[in-house]
Amino acid sequence: MEDYQRANGANSEYAAAVSWLARGALTLGQTGTAARHLAETQTLLASLLKTKRVDDDNFLEAAVGASIEVEAQIMAARGNRDKAVAFLESELPHWKTWWIEARIHKNLDLLTLEGQPAPELDAAYRGSPVLLFLWAHWCGDCKAQGPVIARLKQKYESRGLRVVAPTRRYGEVPKIDHPTVEQEDAEIEQVWKTSYAALEGAPHPIGETMMLRYGVSSTPTLVLIDREGIVRMYRPTRMTEAELGRRIEAVLGP
């Protein structure tokens, strides 16, 4: 990394790489190392943001989002959960790109969502336990998670479980530059029919609001909601069938 910086100077790609080192260290529980990488990222960003906009630079956008995430998670790991929540809430109004907003919402949801009323939940689902499977049509991990969701749906739907699979448009369709809304919607439906055939009958609405509010910067994101509309699990990653099944059993009760 140091050789790269000497050769190329401080730039957004390097800042993104350092920010991901910070995330990786935090995942390994190395809070001190994460804090050092975060400090370097923030120094780089302070310079870069004087002349660049996150809207125009994907690497810069990634570095900003990751730095906000790591700073909040370090606070929480050190026992300052309320401070982390306040920090994330203060950052949210300053950023208007999808990925940064979604990443901030994700971290707020990790800290606050469980035990709270489910946001953006259609009233039609009240009274039933609901598993939200938030996915993307290009996402390989989502396709790997699909069969697990399908088996659990088949196992538990007789006990009232409802599966809803929200997604959104990403402006991406294979072999088409700048696809239209109609072209991407057709791609989403094609992927749903071919890769998620076992989930036939599960609603899969397309829209921005729910995906943003549930912080879907990582796909798949799984949310389990009880009959009273309270979030009992928020997990922005894949889950095993055994683990997710246990969580569903707990919500369904005897």
Side-chain angles (χ1 to χ4, degrees), residues 152-168:
L152 293 172
K153 176 179 180 292
Q154 183 177 23
K155 181 177 181 179
Y156 292 114
E157 63 184 351
S158 64
R159 294 171 61 184
L161 180 69
R162 302 183 70 176
V163 173
V164 183
T167 189
R168 76 176 185 96

Side-chain angles (χ1 to χ4, degrees), residues 1-11 14 18 40 44:
M1 294 293 292
E2 291 177 357
D3 291 341
Y4 180 95
Q5 188 179 23
R6 281 195 293 269
N8 296 279
N11 61 38
Y14 179 75
V18 177
E40 182 180 1
L44 293 166

Side-chain angles (χ1 to χ4, degrees), residues 39-50:
E40 182 180 1
T41 303
Q42 290 173 330
T43 298
L44 293 166
L45 290 175
S47 174
L48 290 165
L49 288 169
K50 291 178 181 177

Side-chain angles (χ1 to χ4, degrees), residues 47-69:
S47 174
L48 290 165
L49 288 169
K50 291 178 181 177
T51 58
K52 293 176 176 282
R53 292 172 2 112
V54 294
D55 311 62
D56 305 324
D57 189 321
N58 291 338
F59 287 114
L60 185 59
E61 181 182 48
V64 168
S67 69
I68 293 169
E69 177 173 276

